Amino acid sequence: MTAIDAVTSKLDKSGKIFVAGHRGLVGSAIVRRLRAVGYNNLILRSHTELDLTNQSAVKTFFSLEKPQYVILAAAKVGGIHANSTYPADFITINLQIQTNVIDSAYRYGTKKLLFLGSSCIYPKHAPQPIPESSLLTGPLEPTNEWYAVAKIAGIKMCQAYRIQHNWDAISAMPTNLYGPNDNFHPENSHVLPALMRRFHEAKVAGGKEVVVWGSGAALREFLHVDDLADSVVFLLENYSDLGHVNVGSGKEVSIKELAEMVKEVVGFEGEIVWDKSKPDGTPRKLMDCSTIAKMGWEPKISLRDGLVGTYEWYVGNVVKQ
């Protein structure tokens, strides 16, 4: 912790906390965690109530509400297909959201801000596990560079405001996330919810096979979103420094192993067919989470337990709609 203002990391439980993006996978989990540990003065706005890409609207909101703390979990997100199809949206919308929220939070007296990025900020061929120091040391993965560039800009913006204004802005970079409220869209979702949906629909339809993109060889790390939410509260209460912090499970699994696990959890009894004409994405992406581990935080939810709970949520909240 730096001398920037160690006091600001001691959160006032009665203080106003604005969770930007509270309806999404990450934001909804953060809201659940904050309430569970006694932070009840939460300011929440849906997209229809506050368009974070609208600079004037964001300034007005901050001038009126003046939240003491801000958690910036709002973002336009998606998998390989979505990133490749809508690159202009991914870079522009995320830059607008970040710039508007970070700048207005500073200008209207927010004590502390936590910006959430993504592990895709790192070079495609970064050393494994990936330390925080790998940022900007090599080319990005081309399939999601638009989103990655926006998130890198968010980290650097927080650092710039800390350096120039002595303002307590911190950044956390989670690995691949999953859990309740994930996006299960058939084309624009990430790998885990996409697999879950495909296996479920094949099971219901009595299908004989499910086609999965790539070779299955790529390695990925997954963190349950409730574990991430726990780490966000932990960092707000315990961390104040220039560097961004990796947050992950420390365990990796091949896409092939993941597909087999999801298939088993869902109860699909057909075959998995690998479409090797489709891209694998980054070959390996394991985060070095020693920084947060040394501070005393570690995840608690195993991948299989997390998959079971996520599938139950999917069946109860998405399938029945």
Side-chain angles (χ1 to χ4, degrees), residues 228-246:
L228 173 67
D230 184 58
S231 77
V232 164
V233 177
F234 177 87
L235 288 170
L236 277 172
E237 294 178 338
N238 295 284
Y239 184 74
S240 176
D241 212 339
L242 186 69
H244 63 280
V245 179
N246 287 345

Side-chain angles (χ1 to χ4, degrees), residues 18-23 43-52:
F18 173 44
V19 182
H22 76 282
R23 286 187 166 179
I43 308 172
L44 309 173
R45 295 288 187 276
S46 67
H47 176 72
T48 53
E49 294 169 319
L50 175 62
D51 179 359
L52 296 176

Side-chain angles (χ1 to χ4, degrees), residues 18 20 55 58-63 66-72 97-114 157-158 161 165 167-169:
F18 173 44
Q55 185 183 53
V58 173
K59 281 185 175 181
T60 299
F61 165 78
F62 273 91
S63 70
K66 293 185 170 60
Q68 287 177 257
Y69 312 105
V70 171
I71 300 169
L72 182 41
I97 290 170
Q98 296 161 196
T99 303
N100 293 340
V101 173
I102 293 170
D103 184 68
S104 288
Y106 164 70
R107 294 187 184 281
Y108 290 99
T110 293
K111 288 184 179 180
K112 187 165 191 171
L113 177 142
L114 185 147
M157 194 171 176
C158 288
Y161 276 65
H165 300 298
W167 185 51
D168 198 5

Side-chain angles (χ1 to χ4, degrees), residues 54 85 103 157 162 187 201 209 213 256 258 266:
N54 184 321
T85 308
D103 184 68
M157 194 171 176
R162 177 176 282 269
E187 291 179 343
E201 290 180 347
E209 64 180 40
W213 278 23
K256 185 176 187 300
L258 177 69
V266 170

Side-chain angles (χ1 to χ4, degrees), residues 179-182 184 308-319 321:
N181 282 321
D182 208 339
F184 289 87
V308 170
T310 302
Y311 182 57
E312 289 174 355
W313 183 89
Y314 169 71
V315 171
N317 295 272
V318 179
V319 175
Q321 288 181 356

Side-chain angles (χ1 to χ4, degrees), residues 208-228:
K208 297 284 196 281
E209 64 180 40
V210 166
V211 177
V212 182
W213 278 23
S215 67
L219 296 167
R220 290 292 180 270
E221 175 186 19
F222 293 95
L223 181 72
H224 194 282
V225 72
D226 286 345
D227 274 334
L228 173 67

